[in-house]
Amino acid sequence: MSVKYHQPINNVEDDIASPCVRNCCLNEADICLGCFRHIDEIMAWRQLDATGKKSVLSQCQQRQQQLDK
């Protein structure tokens, strides 16, 4: 499964959509196997600015690549 990251809402660059794919299942490290966010990142998502969200999305992509190996 490939998760599509950084989906702007209403074509507004600063409004970055959540990567949630409604397939929430945490592994032993508290990483969601649906979107690859850590539970702390999931809880903080609404408070993050665009830079913070992009950072989380970058980490999600790295986690996904590691888990897909």
Side-chain angles (χ1 to χ4, degrees), residues 35-50:
C35 67
F36 302 97
R37 288 182 292 173
H38 186 272
I39 187 66
D40 293 339
E41 296 165 340
I42 293 169
M43 299 299 290
W45 185 260
R46 289 183 179 208
Q47 287 75 40
L48 295 173
D49 61 10

Side-chain angles (χ1 to χ4, degrees), residues 10-24:
N10 300 325
N11 295 323
V12 177
E13 185 65 25
D14 287 342
D15 201 3
I16 299 171
S18 167
C20 181
V21 295
R22 308 288 191 261
N23 185 23
C24 304

Side-chain angles (χ1 to χ4, degrees), residues 1-68:
M1 175 177 68
S2 179
V3 178
K4 192 173 184 181
Y5 293 101
H6 188 219
Q7 304 164 20
I9 301 171
N10 300 325
N11 295 323
V12 177
E13 185 65 25
D14 287 342
D15 201 3
I16 299 171
S18 167
C20 181
V21 295
R22 308 288 191 261
N23 185 23
C24 304
C25 180
L26 299 179
N27 68 11
E28 63 280 350
D30 287 335
I31 302 296
C32 176
L33 299 177
C35 67
F36 302 97
R37 288 182 292 173
H38 186 272
I39 187 66
D40 293 339
E41 296 165 340
I42 293 169
M43 299 299 290
W45 185 260
R46 289 183 179 208
Q47 287 75 40
L48 295 173
D49 61 10
T51 301
K53 289 179 180 180
K54 288 178 184 179
S55 175
V56 168
L57 293 176
S58 176
Q59 291 175 55
C60 291
Q61 288 174 326
Q62 291 172 12
R63 290 183 192 122
Q64 181 179 12
Q65 290 170 356
Q66 290 296 317
L67 291 173
D68 283 347

